Amino acid sequence: MNKGFLALSPLIVFISLYLLLSLLAGDFSRVPMTVVFLFASIYAVATSTKFSLKERIDIYGQGASTPNLLLMLWIYVLAGAFAQSAKGMGSIDATVNLALGILPPSMILPGLFIAACFISISIGTSVGTVVTLVPIAAGIASQTGSNVALMTAVIVGGAYFGDNLSFISDTTVVATQTLEVSMKDKFKVNSFIVAPAVIIVLAIYAYMGYGMQAPAHVGQTDFLKVIPYIAVLVMAVVGLNVMAVLALGVLLCGAIGIVCGSYNFFSWLNAMGSGIIGMGELIIIAMMAGGMLEIIRVNGGIDYIIEKLSARVHGKRGAQFSVAALVSLVDVCTANNTVAILTVGNIAKQIGEKYGVDPRKTASILDTFSCAVQGIIPYGVQMLLAAGLAHVEPVDIVPFLYYPFALGIAASFSIWLRYPKRYS
């Protein structure tokens, strides 16, 4: 067997095993990603026969504990603590009520989209946005006689706006840490790409929402509880270190929550603890992916895939399309955009370096295409969750997912037209 292909085979085993088990189970959500990574990792260690067993384990451990990876894990911990603290003290409900309370009935669709965008960019998680807003959107649909699948799709699309742009999103963290670029710079590149998609989708929703009736009741807004999200967004945009942003956000949630009586000191600690524990699976996946990819790299697998991918690549444009295709393919197979970036991030970095692609553009491509693809696959965790909360079939939501489709098209045009010029 070709040595390069054998070196790359742990990745192939991972994707094949996940697909096979998911098809057998009839449900992609029933197959734990951690277990599949465990099997693929064992296979990677077992097949690296040119090293002793101790050397293989050491290589795996080095990949699972690089400085960049450990920094990423600390950010995950803080992000989990902040998200759960904010939820516990009522920040999400307050933010939703604020967004809906200031919009006229005909702007409910774009208003829901804006609310989803704002919340997702503030909390950095598409799943959290879906869990929070889909029940509200489904309720509005029933009150106004609107299409439930359409309302649900509005939220799912907005959720991926933040997943792609938020400074505390796990996809942003993985993409920027892997490519060694600042979150602020990656945010600038993504903003240029995302802006046309957002404008077009908002226009579509405004047209579709014309003549809608207002919901029967919108809750009162506690403006004090909106402060943590606004503060985190402002601090992140001005360039404050992401760990400092999250730490200050957690403290703000605690102080405001205790003052407002949302929880006492110990329930705040419990909220933080719950959020940290909730990030446990992602932390384990990140470490196992790092270890497995280090074995692949040491055995020459990354060099092999770069050689094969770049065989027909000519110049920066081809390199960027190859990165986009690779991360999209892996996301289709794994149904997890963070895992897709973790899996191919180092490969994308080397392709970009070989063809002189600005690392900020490479990071943006990784994040944007993974989010666009994740946003339209009907078996992704976000889609399944949204469908369950709204009591509709996932395939009913797909035709209304205007934003993920628009995001993918805009990202493709950004490569084809070399836009933005500064980074292409």
Side-chain angles (χ1 to χ4, degrees), residues 394-411:
V395 292
D396 294 334
I397 302 173
V398 174
F400 301 107
L401 289 168
Y402 304 134
Y403 180 73
F405 282 112
L407 180 62
I409 293 170

Side-chain angles (χ1 to χ4, degrees), residues 267-281:
S267 59
W268 173 46
L269 295 184
N270 286 331
M272 283 193 290
S274 176
I276 293 169
I277 292 172
M279 301 298 284
E281 182 178 15

Side-chain angles (χ1 to χ4, degrees), residues 273-410:
S274 176
I276 293 169
I277 292 172
M279 301 298 284
E281 182 178 15
L282 181 58
I283 290 172
I284 293 170
I285 287 173
M287 294 182 70
M288 288 197 291
M292 186 183 76
L293 287 171
E294 181 64 11
I295 289 182
I296 291 173
R297 186 193 67 80
V298 169
N299 286 327
I302 291 178
D303 292 335
Y304 173 77
I305 197 170
I306 290 174
E307 177 187 346
K308 293 299 181 183
L309 275 174
S310 59
R312 298 182 180 179
V313 172
H314 301 286
K316 294 182 180 180
R317 184 185 288 164
Q320 292 175 55
F321 272 121
S322 68
V323 170
L326 183 61
V327 75
S328 299
L329 176 62
V330 175
D331 190 80
V332 167
C333 295
T334 62
N336 188 305
N337 49 345
T338 303
V339 171
I341 298 174
L342 279 168
T343 305
V344 306
N346 286 322
I347 300 171
K349 180 181 179 182
Q350 294 193 39
I351 291 175
E353 289 174 349
K354 181 175 181 178
Y355 289 94
V357 180
D358 190 313
R360 293 168 290 187
K361 185 64 181 287
T362 305
S364 180
I365 290 171
L366 280 175
D367 199 354
T368 304
F369 277 92
S370 67
C371 287
V373 172
Q374 182 71 17
I376 60 176
I377 53 176
Y379 50 85
V381 61
Q382 296 87 346
M383 190 79 77
L384 293 172
L385 185 59
L389 291 170
H391 304 293
V392 297
E393 292 298 323
V395 292
D396 294 334
I397 302 173
V398 174
F400 301 107
L401 289 168
Y402 304 134
Y403 180 73
F405 282 112
L407 180 62
I409 293 170

Side-chain angles (χ1 to χ4, degrees), residues 142 181 227 229 250 349:
S142 65
V181 300
I227 291 176
Y229 284 142
V250 170
K349 180 181 179 182

Side-chain angles (χ1 to χ4, degrees), residues 31-307:
V31 180
M33 193 73 69
T34 48
V35 176
V36 180
F37 260 116
L38 176 62
F39 288 148
S41 296
I42 293 172
Y43 171 84
V45 172
T47 54
S48 300
T49 53
K50 66 179 180 180
F51 301 103
S52 68
L53 180 58
K54 182 181 183 305
E55 287 174 330
R56 297 177 226 173
I57 294 173
D58 287 344
I59 293 170
Y60 187 90
Q62 289 167 8
S65 59
T66 62
N68 281 342
L69 180 60
L70 291 177
L71 174 61
M72 194 186 305
L73 301 188
W74 278 114
I75 294 172
Y76 288 169
V77 168
L78 286 169
F82 171 73
Q84 197 63 31
S85 296
K87 180 180 179 180
M89 55 88 78
S91 280
I92 295 176
D93 290 338
T95 306
V96 171
N97 292 339
L98 175 64
L100 293 179
I102 61 178
L103 292 167
S106 61
M107 296 297 288
I108 287 177
L109 280 178
L112 280 173
F113 181 69
I114 291 171
C117 290
F118 180 75
I119 290 175
S120 62
I121 201 173
S122 300
I123 66 177
T125 165
S126 53
V127 171
T129 305
V130 166
V131 170
T132 303
L133 290 183
V134 164
I136 297 173
I140 293 174
S142 65
Q143 291 180 29
T144 59
S146 303
N147 188 317
V148 177
L150 168 62
M151 287 285 196
T152 304
V154 172
I155 302 303
V156 174
Y160 282 102
F161 175 87
D163 216 23
N164 178 226
L165 283 175
S166 176
F167 284 78
I168 58 175
S169 165
D170 47 10
T171 60
T172 294
V173 172
V174 173
T176 54
Q177 293 298 317
T178 302
L179 273 295
E180 298 179 359
V181 300
S182 74
M183 293 190 177
K184 189 175 181 180
D185 285 342
K186 182 259 185 189
F187 179 86
K188 290 179 180 177
V189 181
N190 269 31
S191 297
F192 283 111
I193 297 172
V194 164
V198 171
I199 292 170
I200 291 171
V201 170
L202 278 174
I204 292 172
Y205 286 148
Y207 174 78
M208 295 179 68
Y210 183 77
M212 284 186 63
Q213 300 298 314
H217 174 71
V218 176
Q220 293 294 317
T221 299
D222 189 338
F223 292 97
L224 191 62
K225 293 183 178 180
V226 182
I227 291 176
Y229 284 142
I230 296 176
V232 164
L233 184 59
V234 171
M235 287 187 292
V237 170
V238 300
L240 194 63
N241 179 276
V242 64
M243 295 183 70
V245 168
L246 290 171
L248 291 171
V250 170
L251 292 176
L252 267 176
C253 287
I256 294 173
I258 291 172
V259 167
C260 293
S262 299
Y263 42 50
N264 58 38
F265 178 73
F266 291 102
S267 59
W268 173 46
L269 295 184
N270 286 331
M272 283 193 290
S274 176
I276 293 169
I277 292 172
M279 301 298 284
E281 182 178 15
L282 181 58
I283 290 172
I284 293 170
I285 287 173
M287 294 182 70
M288 288 197 291
M292 186 183 76
L293 287 171
E294 181 64 11
I295 289 182
I296 291 173
R297 186 193 67 80
V298 169
N299 286 327
I302 291 178
D303 292 335
Y304 173 77
I305 197 170
I306 290 174
E307 177 187 346

